[in-house]
Amino acid sequence: MATIKDVAQLAGVSFATVSYVLNDSMPVSEATRNKVLAAVTKLGYQPHRQGRNLQRQRTLTIGVLLPQANLLCEVDLATWLLEATNAATSAGYSLLLQPADSQARGDLADGWISFGTPLDPQLPQVWALAPPFDQPAVLCDAAFAAQRAVETLTHSGMRRIGLITLPRSIPGSARWYLGYRRALRRAGLGFDPGLVVEPAANRFHDGVAAYETLAASENDYDGLIVCGHQLATGVVMVDHAKVPVIVSHSSSQRGISGFRWPTELWAHTLVRKLLQQLDGAAIAHRTWLNPSLVIGSLGFKEDLDGFNYV
Amino acid sequence: MATIKDVAQLAGVSFATVSYVLNDSMPVSEATRNKVLAAVTKLGYQPHRQGRNLQRQRTLTIGVLLPQANLLCEVDLATWLLEATNAATSAGYSLLLQPADSQARGDLADGWISFGTPLDPQLPQVWALAPPFDQPAVLCDAAFAAQRAVETLTHSGMRRIGLITLPRSIPGSARWYLGYRRALRRAGLGFDPGLVVEPAANRFHDGVAAYETLAASENDYDGLIVCGHQLATGVVMVDHAKVPVIVSHSSSQRGISGFRWPTELWAHTLVRKLLQQLDGAAIAHRTWLNPSLVIGSLGFKEDLDGFNYV
DNA sequence: CTCATCTATTTAAACGTTTAAATGAAGTAT
DNA sequence: ATACTTCATTTAAACGTTTAAATAGATGAG
């Protein structure tokens, strides 16, 4: 691998000059600049990160804290990571994965991000890994989704809207509930606790059970909202299609409305904001991103292409 | 952050001695060793990676090449990454994410890994990102899964086993087919092309369509194998439970047999092998890991805990 | 023609480590 | 006692950069 000295030698200048050209941190005559650039391209020189970092005290790396249990309910972590990687790479950075429960040196990366819903004050401390770092919070708003779902149903004349929530042990579950309550209030509808079912866990059969509980109760409902991918799958499989159903994720169920979560936008925004922050810019403490409702779609990716993120 | 010089000063020795203690690369008297270690713990010193790497030419980093499209069909990429991170961290390494189509300096990491099925020679070049590096190949064997599924059915007396494959555009699909054919041959059963359906794509409704195609044909089958999570979900939803069904992933369907893929083992093995290779050990070029069949399980994680990886 | 000013370039120190080579202090053989 | 080992420790160079400070060369004013 070519070093800066190789370039300097080939160009017939000192290696400091090469550095000045590459970072244009000092004025350099046009002639030498050209010589240097020629040498750089000829040798295919790329600066050595470790060396540069040592002096600059910048690692050109963004750390990602990975919790052992995936606390993300709304988006696919793999896609999130891929998009974050893309965003970082196009800014010349790399992503470094680190278990959230490990204690690595903080200066292993220039900045750290994690994801997930910050704690709702009402909830017990589940997100035990409360970021000790000052990461720019970019969040996808489940409350918005819930609200939008309720609005959609009420606009179609529904008045008694059931909710199968996420179990409260899951961070972010409260936001679903919050949005639901808020939307009801705004629509001037009363809140009936009998219409809300909280499953034991976020699994397929819990969704089935929750649905059956709701159906067996004397509470009649004319619309239903289901939170959580697993739960929704269960519900949809036993659903009798009596009332409109809106699930948290438009995935692979026919004719069911669901949300598309702006994973790419989320990851890109978070990375971009962090980089801005590293450059010393004061950034908004929180940015909310909203999912978009895909009405009665078949739910396949192709069907959603036309939709814009909010 | 404390540097090695701080430690040396506190311990009253030269910083070379500190280095020798920490790496025990030179004999050090018990007395000084203790002084140094005391200073280390007192200051909470951790060696600075960048500095160390510069000299050692080791980054203590493992690069992960991330393809833009997730080519993994059998395991969850997020879990894979998490486990790889854990494995790397416990060996003192970190994981660095890099888009497979980017051209970063190779020495950004000590070694590179990627995942996915290597090309079956029969297949067109879909895994366009053929690893240019000499990564230790650790692979989960879909052929084994297919074979095992057929064996399980034949042992129960089935003779005409249907197969809903993955579309051939998906890398690894060929291995399913391969295992199916091999097992039939070994069981002394003939191959009936009419029993094999290749869906157009790997989506929910393609599974439904494939199932209906098979059911509508005059080919009667007494057992069915379905490859792919999405496809299987579709099939299971419309299945009439006439014959035993084995799907590629035991996920969230009641009473259906499926496979558990050794994601953690895979990631750990791959990382470990890479590290061994970095240490100069000659390692097996390929290691196959086998998924384990979970018979008629409810498919929830709890049900699988008793199972051992093969 | 000399001195000061400005600009382009080089020299050298620094970043935090590792490690080869040099040093020093013992101990053992002559 | 002197020289040769052996062992523990220190000195200093090296890794690939950036950057402050020094230098050289040209330009302009007096």
Side-chain angles (χ1 to χ4, degrees):
Chain A
M1 289 254 141
T3 83
I4 200 172
K5 295 192 179 178
D6 300 326
V7 175
Q9 189 168 21
L10 182 59
V13 297
S14 77
F15 58 86
T17 306
V18 178
S19 175
Y20 290 141
V21 169
L22 261 41
N23 308 303
D24 53 330
S25 38
M26 281 264 150
V28 171
S29 77
E30 201 59 24
T32 35
R33 154 167 285 113
N34 290 337
K35 277 191 297 181
V36 168
L37 290 180
V40 164
T41 51
K42 180 159 187 185
L43 294 176
Y45 168 75
Q46 281 186 279
H48 182 73
R49 275 229 194 138
Q50 319 286 333
R52 156 182 282 173
N53 301 163
L54 198 54
Q55 172 62 15
R56 277 224 182 140
Q57 303 295 64
R58 278 276 181 115
T59 60
L60 292 186
T61 290
I62 297 176
V64 180
L65 289 182
L66 230 46
Q68 289 300 324
N70 183 8
L71 302 179
L72 276 187
C73 279
E74 276 81 18
V75 307
D76 173 42
L77 178 54
T79 308
W80 196 96
L81 284 173
L82 175 64
E83 291 304 330
T85 303
N86 287 336
T89 301
S90 66
Y93 279 71
S94 296
L95 239 52
L96 189 80
L97 262 35
Q98 202 71 26
D101 50 4
S102 79
Q103 31 176 334
R105 279 181 68 124
D107 60 2
L108 216 55
D110 296 336
W112 293 87
I113 54 180
S114 74
F115 32 73
T117 316
L119 271 184
D120 255 278
Q122 296 93 331
L123 276 179
Q125 176 82 12
V126 275
W127 178 259
L129 318 149
F133 44 87
D134 188 26
Q135 88 168 30
V138 177
L139 304 154
C140 281
D141 196 355
F144 174 89
Q147 205 172 331
R148 187 115 159 66
V150 171
E151 283 167 10
T152 304
L153 291 173
T154 55
H155 285 167
S156 304
M158 314 306 162
R159 285 289 167 270
R160 294 183 53 75
I161 298 169
L163 175 71
I164 296 180
T165 65
L166 284 168
R168 75 184 61 199
S169 62
I170 290 181
S173 59
R175 291 207 66 82
W176 283 100
Y177 186 69
L178 208 79
Y180 172 78
R181 294 291 303 266
R182 185 160 57 198
L184 285 186
R185 201 167 51 242
R186 291 195 182 164
L189 296 174
F191 168 64
D192 180 354
L195 289 173
V196 177
V197 182
E198 179 189 346
N202 180 23
R203 293 165 309 185
F204 173 75
H205 69 226
D206 298 302
V208 174
Y211 181 81
E212 281 163 359
T213 302
L214 190 61
S217 76
E218 64 270 29
N219 294 292
D220 54 324
Y221 57 96
D222 51 14
L224 180 60
I225 299 172
V226 188
C227 311
H229 195 38
Q230 300 282 334
L231 293 171
T233 306
V235 168
V236 168
M237 282 183 65
V238 292
D239 180 44
H240 304 101
K242 297 271 175 60
V243 304
V245 175
I246 297 182
V247 299
S248 55
H249 300 76
S250 63
S251 59
S252 37
Q253 321 305 338
R254 290 174 195 269
I256 303 275
S257 301
F259 289 91
R260 167 160 183 156
W261 298 84
T263 314
E264 303 166 37
L265 185 63
W266 183 8
H268 277 88
T269 306
L270 182 49
V271 167
R272 214 180 48 231
K273 293 225 169 238
L274 179 65
L275 291 180
Q276 287 170 359
Q277 185 174 281
L278 288 179
D279 286 344
I283 58 157
H285 186 47
R286 285 195 181 182
T287 310
W288 288 102
L289 297 180
N290 292 330
S292 47
L293 181 57
V294 182
I295 301 210
S297 144
L298 282 180
F300 303 119
K301 194 168 188 309
E302 299 78 275
D303 303 323
L304 309 178
D305 282 346
F307 281 81
N308 290 320
Y309 300 132
V310 179
Chain B
M1 290 255 140
T3 82
I4 200 173
K5 296 193 178 176
D6 300 325
V7 176
Q9 188 168 22
L10 182 59
V13 297
S14 79
F15 58 87
T17 306
V18 178
S19 175
Y20 291 141
V21 170
L22 262 42
N23 308 304
D24 52 330
S25 39
M26 281 265 149
V28 171
S29 78
E30 201 60 23
T32 36
R33 156 168 284 115
N34 289 336
K35 279 192 296 181
V36 168
L37 290 180
V40 164
T41 51
K42 178 157 186 186
L43 294 177
Y45 168 76
Q46 282 186 279
H48 182 74
R49 277 233 191 133
Q50 320 286 332
R52 156 182 282 173
N53 301 162
L54 198 53
Q55 172 62 14
R56 277 225 184 138
Q57 303 294 67
R58 277 275 181 116
T59 60
L60 292 186
T61 291
I62 297 175
V64 180
L65 289 182
L66 229 48
Q68 290 299 324
N70 183 8
L71 302 180
L72 277 187
C73 279
E74 275 82 17
V75 307
D76 174 41
L77 177 55
T79 308
W80 196 96
L81 284 174
L82 175 64
E83 292 304 330
T85 304
N86 287 336
T89 300
S90 67
Y93 279 71
S94 297
L95 239 53
L96 189 79
L97 262 37
Q98 202 70 27
D101 49 4
S102 79
Q103 32 177 333
R105 279 180 69 120
D107 60 2
L108 216 54
D110 296 334
W112 293 87
I113 55 179
S114 74
F115 32 73
T117 317
L119 270 185
D120 256 278
Q122 296 91 333
L123 276 181
Q125 176 85 12
V126 276
W127 177 260
L129 317 148
F133 44 87
D134 187 27
Q135 86 167 28
V138 177
L139 303 154
C140 282
D141 196 355
F144 174 90
Q147 204 171 331
R148 187 115 161 63
V150 171
E151 283 165 12
T152 304
L153 293 173
T154 53
H155 286 166
S156 304
M158 314 306 161
R159 285 290 167 267
R160 294 185 51 76
I161 298 169
L163 176 70
I164 296 180
T165 67
L166 284 169
R168 75 184 59 197
S169 62
I170 291 181
S173 59
R175 290 207 66 82
W176 283 100
Y177 185 70
L178 209 77
Y180 172 77
R181 293 291 302 265
R182 185 160 56 197
L184 285 186
R185 199 166 55 243
R186 291 194 183 164
L189 295 174
F191 168 63
D192 180 354
L195 288 174
V196 177
V197 182
E198 179 189 348
N202 180 22
R203 291 165 311 183
F204 173 76
H205 68 229
D206 297 302
V208 175
Y211 181 80
E212 281 162 359
T213 302
L214 190 62
S217 75
E218 64 269 32
N219 294 292
D220 53 326
Y221 56 97
D222 52 14
L224 180 61
I225 299 172
V226 188
C227 310
H229 195 37
Q230 299 282 333
L231 294 172
T233 306
V235 168
V236 169
M237 282 182 64
V238 293
D239 180 45
H240 303 101
K242 298 270 173 62
V243 305
V245 175
I246 296 182
V247 299
S248 55
H249 299 76
S250 63
S251 60
S252 38
Q253 322 303 339
R254 291 173 195 270
I256 303 275
S257 301
F259 289 91
R260 166 160 183 155
W261 298 84
T263 314
E264 304 167 35
L265 186 63
W266 183 9
H268 277 87
T269 306
L270 182 49
V271 167
R272 213 179 48 231
K273 294 225 169 240
L274 178 66
L275 292 180
Q276 287 170 0
Q277 185 173 283
L278 288 179
D279 286 343
I283 58 158
H285 186 46
R286 285 196 180 182
T287 309
W288 288 103
L289 297 181
N290 292 328
S292 47
L293 181 57
V294 182
I295 301 209
S297 145
L298 283 178
F300 304 117
K301 193 167 187 310
E302 299 78 274
D303 303 324
L304 310 177
D305 282 346
F307 282 81
N308 289 320
Y309 300 131
V310 179

